Amino acid sequence: VAILLAVSGCGYGLRGNVVSPHMKGIEVIAVLPFENRSRVEDDEFFVEGVHDDLLTTLARIGGLKVISRTSVSQYVDTAKTIPEIAEELGVATVMEGAVQRAGDMVRINVQLIDAATDEHLWAEIYDRELTAENLFAIQSEISEQIAGALQATLTQEEERRINERPTDNLAAYNAYLRGRQLLARRNTVQLTEAMSEFRRALELDPEFALAWVGVGETATLLSNWGTMTREDRNRIRQDAANRAIELAPDLGEAWLIYATVADSLAEAETRYRKAIELNPGYATTYQWYANDIQGDFRRLEEAQQLLDTAVALDPLSPILRQQAAHNLHLMGHTDIAARRLSTLLDEDPEFVPALNSLAEARQLQGEWVEAVQLLRRAATLDPGTPEPLFALMRAYQVLGYSEGITDLRNRLAEMSGERNPLVVFADAFVASLAGRPGAVVEHLQSLDPSIRNSPQPSAFLAQAYVELGNFEAARTAAERAYPRVFDSEAWTQLPDGRLRDIEALCIGGYILSVTGDPEGGKARMQAGLEYAQNELPRYITGREDSVSAASCSLVLGEVDHVLRTLETLTAGGDLTWVGFFSSSRAPEVEPLRNRTDFQELLAAGQAELERQRERLRALDAEAATPLGEAGP
């Protein structure tokens, strides 16, 4: 954490590279977009494909790190000089190229430039008949020449890998390249189109391993950002991973998708490391590896190092910069994360994941109106993703902006179907925030048992039953949600790196204490509180004054500590607690309600939310007023 704070004034990529431990002692090169010398518009995609394939081939050389396509694509037709570009990307060497296609012949002209002196290190012209075999052979020759010019020693294994041809079908390869380009925006429409392109590539060449990787990656992203069910994702991804590994066991990208279907985190990490060994220049591997381990708050700094490596490889990539900023937010550095996300959105104002992440940060900073505007923009730009709709529901409920919630719920139902679990969860979520635990139970009980009895819905049910005073039903649900808490030995190993474990100890311990084991319940609650106060701040800045800690204190009856925690949250702008304490019927809240100082703090929080609610209503009324007419 100290290291991260020390470099917090630096941005990623064009604001000054953060040097990752994975990058030390390795030559970094930027291959600029190739010029289309034929000037035929239909050849643009072909030229982009030649450029993209060269980047992929170079990335397989362990002694080189290649700036990814997303970043270098910013320099198409740029007026910037080579030294200026090199400084922005943090590289010492830049490669330029041009492609000209005429009938069944192709000419590729490339040159390697020392950015410090602007002098040529090497140049070559390739004239060949246009076949898949010749095209990939040129890429291999260029890669070997660059490695030699930069004194990067090729191992026999690397030399073999860069000479492999991914497919003999040019049409399949073009479809694959279109799919890769569509993945970058994380927009559900483009993700759906990407899946179609990868499927088309496989129709043309069923043994095209990279296209199978594309199918697996797209299924993952459609599940994360869209409405693809977990069952469909798992089925598609498992098939794609198996086929990719079977066809190309030495392909780093195949090991990446294979990691996503591992049976355990330990097995997944082994596969991620194999992917990095085989293709150390593939930024997505570092990103997905980080995503997998950041669920353990003890490994957030390790995840940051992986994301720094990904950003160093692709410093202008919107998704990598968003992910790196989001991880800082998870570490408790919300202000730093918000600044970086704001910079990203200044450069790319329509990037939906950054809009969602900045909205989350703004809520914790108390800027609910800005958060709502960010989320509305995200929902408009990508109408196929449910994430901003859920976040808007929460924001509206906290603000008391009830008139918009029904519309959001109906939009979600139109997107995914009335009985989709997403819609049921939305109904239960809104009922919870409105202080209607009976409705929460009714909605969740309508789910299929295979979903209802899984940990997250069970935890939701347990809390609702507590508010209803039905503690036996709460215990049944809690035992499904937190089985280790109710195990006489396993609970002593908690928390096990998950924030949810602190909540589990507090809620599960409380339920245990009122259903026959007061001493055991108290021991669990005390363990949760002590961990939140003493251990958690080692990994996450400021979390000792979190809502998790407040909930532990609350069930232990430490009202003074709860009040101090809420005061600290409020001083930092975080009013997320107001809605819960305004509506909760949970019996353990009653001692707090009877405190005059709590009532004053709650009233101040409600007044601030009311002020922001009225400001939002005024902005909405102003936006709805036709031009030339006076507003209300």
PDB file of all heavy atoms in Angstrom, residues 308 311 366 624:
ATOM      1  N   ASP A 308      -0.911  -3.509 -13.026  1.00  0.00           N
ATOM      2  CA  ASP A 308       0.114  -2.572 -13.485  1.00  0.00           C
ATOM      3  C   ASP A 308       0.859  -3.139 -14.693  1.00  0.00           C
ATOM      4  O   ASP A 308       1.190  -2.416 -15.637  1.00  0.00           O
ATOM      5  CB  ASP A 308       1.115  -2.285 -12.364  1.00  0.00           C
ATOM      6  CG  ASP A 308       0.549  -1.364 -11.293  1.00  0.00           C
ATOM      7  OD1 ASP A 308      -0.518  -0.773 -11.515  1.00  0.00           O
ATOM      8  OD2 ASP A 308       1.183  -1.252 -10.224  1.00  0.00           O
ATOM      9  N   VAL A 311      -1.384  -2.845 -17.731  1.00  0.00           N
ATOM     10  CA  VAL A 311      -1.445  -1.461 -18.214  1.00  0.00           C
ATOM     11  C   VAL A 311      -0.131  -1.064 -18.883  1.00  0.00           C
ATOM     12  O   VAL A 311      -0.126  -0.338 -19.875  1.00  0.00           O
ATOM     13  CB  VAL A 311      -1.794  -0.498 -17.058  1.00  0.00           C
ATOM     14  CG1 VAL A 311      -1.702   0.958 -17.503  1.00  0.00           C
ATOM     15  CG2 VAL A 311      -3.205  -0.777 -16.554  1.00  0.00           C
ATOM     16  N   GLY A 366     -20.274  10.743  -1.385  1.00  0.00           N
ATOM     17  CA  GLY A 366     -21.457  11.537  -1.080  1.00  0.00           C
ATOM     18  C   GLY A 366     -22.025  12.316  -2.235  1.00  0.00           C
ATOM     19  O   GLY A 366     -22.941  13.124  -2.051  1.00  0.00           O
ATOM     20  N   ALA A 624     -36.367  18.258 -19.084  1.00  0.00           N
ATOM     21  CA  ALA A 624     -37.637  17.933 -19.740  1.00  0.00           C
ATOM     22  C   ALA A 624     -38.331  19.144 -20.322  1.00  0.00           C
ATOM     23  O   ALA A 624     -39.302  19.020 -21.068  1.00  0.00           O
ATOM     24  CB  ALA A 624     -38.570  17.249 -18.743  1.00  0.00           C
TER      25      ALA A 624
END
